[in-house]
Amino acid sequence: MRLYDVDLSSRLLLGTAQYPSPQVLTDAVQASGSEVLTVSLRRETAAGSGAGFWDMLRQTGARILPNTAGCHTVQDAVTTAQMAREIFDTPWIKLEVIGHGDTLQPDVFALVETARILSEDGFQVFPYTTEDLVVAERLVEAGCEVLMPWGAPIGSGQGLRNPDGLRAMRAHFPEVPLIVDAGIGRPSDAAEAMELGMDAVLLNTAVAKAGDPVAMARAMDLAIRAGRAGFEAQPMEPRDMAVPSTPVLGLAELM
């Protein structure tokens, strides 16, 4: 999988919030095989962990994808992205511009505007968006080379609420990397996303809040691998009628 100018082996992007301890986070990252970790600049600063937290993430060897979590305006998101670039020394930014407080649904109008500003400033933008095709077109026009449609509201664990929309998105953007971001609750949800042809899955809460985060990280990795393999194997289409797997011709006749 190639995201902007980076080739990756793992199709699992992992968040770093809400883990029981730094050691559990480190072990979960290792178990998941993830090569990309998302980090909220606000959360990392507010936690007071500072350089220690950053050093811990660096030791995992994973690439950092800072995000603008908690931003509700264009200016707020732009400022946060610029600060993240200075701190983490990367042009990558996961762009979140939240428009609805209860569902954490993105403000797609502000999202497109912010994506254009950041792209023109040299950022490589990973926009958290809906599965709306028109919005996706505008984001691509704004300079985004990756799209990150939600599966369900952030942290809800509801799985894929609109698989048909994601399927349509895959068909409409055959060459654009698509990463399902938010809503994944179980390994089966991640496998379903991959079977639809998504390129990767980004998740956090499903692992961090599991009874055993390390085991769940490993399960998510396996599910994503299985889902991708299933997609590449070109699964059969569903049928309305039963079709016998044993041929009728040649059966013995009982007299």
Side-chain angles (χ1 to χ4, degrees):
M1 178 176 64
R2 188 172 183 82
L3 302 179
Y4 286 99
D5 56 348
V6 176
D7 292 318
L8 300 168
S9 299
S10 173
R11 295 177 181 270
L12 171 57
L13 287 68
L14 196 62
T16 56
Q18 306 181 70
Y19 286 83
S21 70
Q23 186 61 55
V24 171
L25 167 58
T26 302
D27 292 345
V29 171
Q30 183 175 8
S32 72
S34 178
E35 298 169 287
V36 177
L37 303 179
T38 63
V39 179
S40 167
L41 177 64
R42 294 181 174 207
R43 181 167 53 245
E44 191 271 341
T45 304
S49 49
F53 181 73
W54 176 216
D55 289 341
M56 180 189 69
L57 294 182
R58 231 184 293 193
Q59 290 172 11
T60 67
R63 189 179 184 92
I64 300 300
L65 173 60
N67 70 50
T68 62
C71 292
H72 293 261
T73 68
V74 173
Q75 186 56 55
D76 199 11
V78 169
T79 301
T80 302
Q82 291 170 340
M83 292 174 62
R85 180 167 59 183
E86 291 185 17
I87 292 174
F88 297 109
D89 191 27
T90 177
W92 278 19
I93 191 74
K94 178 191 171 188
L95 180 59
E96 295 183 24
V97 187
I98 302 302
H100 191 268
D102 292 333
T103 64
L104 300 182
Q105 180 170 334
D107 178 342
V108 295
F109 305 101
L111 181 68
V112 172
E113 182 181 351
T114 309
R116 181 172 288 106
I117 292 171
L118 293 178
S119 294
E120 291 174 353
D121 191 27
F123 283 90
Q124 296 174 330
V125 181
F126 293 66
Y128 162 64
T129 183
T130 65
E131 66 276 22
D132 187 292
L133 296 181
V134 177
V135 174
E137 286 278 12
R138 298 294 180 269
L139 288 169
V140 171
E141 291 170 3
C144 299
E145 297 181 18
V146 175
L147 296 172
M148 302 180 69
W150 67 345
I154 294 173
S156 68
Q158 295 178 10
L160 307 184
R161 296 205 304 184
N162 186 9
D164 288 338
L166 294 173
R167 189 180 290 109
M169 205 171 185
R170 175 75 289 167
H172 194 71
F173 298 97
E175 303 301 326
V176 177
L178 300 180
I179 302 172
V180 169
D181 176 16
I184 298 296
R186 293 172 171 76
S188 57
D189 300 331
E192 181 184 8
M194 300 305 293
E195 288 175 353
L196 291 175
M198 301 296 105
D199 292 281
V201 169
L202 192 159
L203 53 85
N204 185 166
T205 310
V207 169
K209 290 300 185 181
D212 185 338
V214 177
M216 183 59 75
R218 187 175 298 109
M220 288 293 185
D221 174 47
L222 293 172
I224 287 170
R225 291 175 184 272
R228 180 66 184 183
F231 170 73
E232 293 176 343
Q234 302 178 12
M236 63 175 286
E237 294 296 327
R239 298 168 175 171
D240 293 331
M241 300 289 291
V243 178
S245 57
T246 302
V248 175
L249 293 177
L251 290 180
E253 290 188 24
L254 300 178
M255 304 300 292

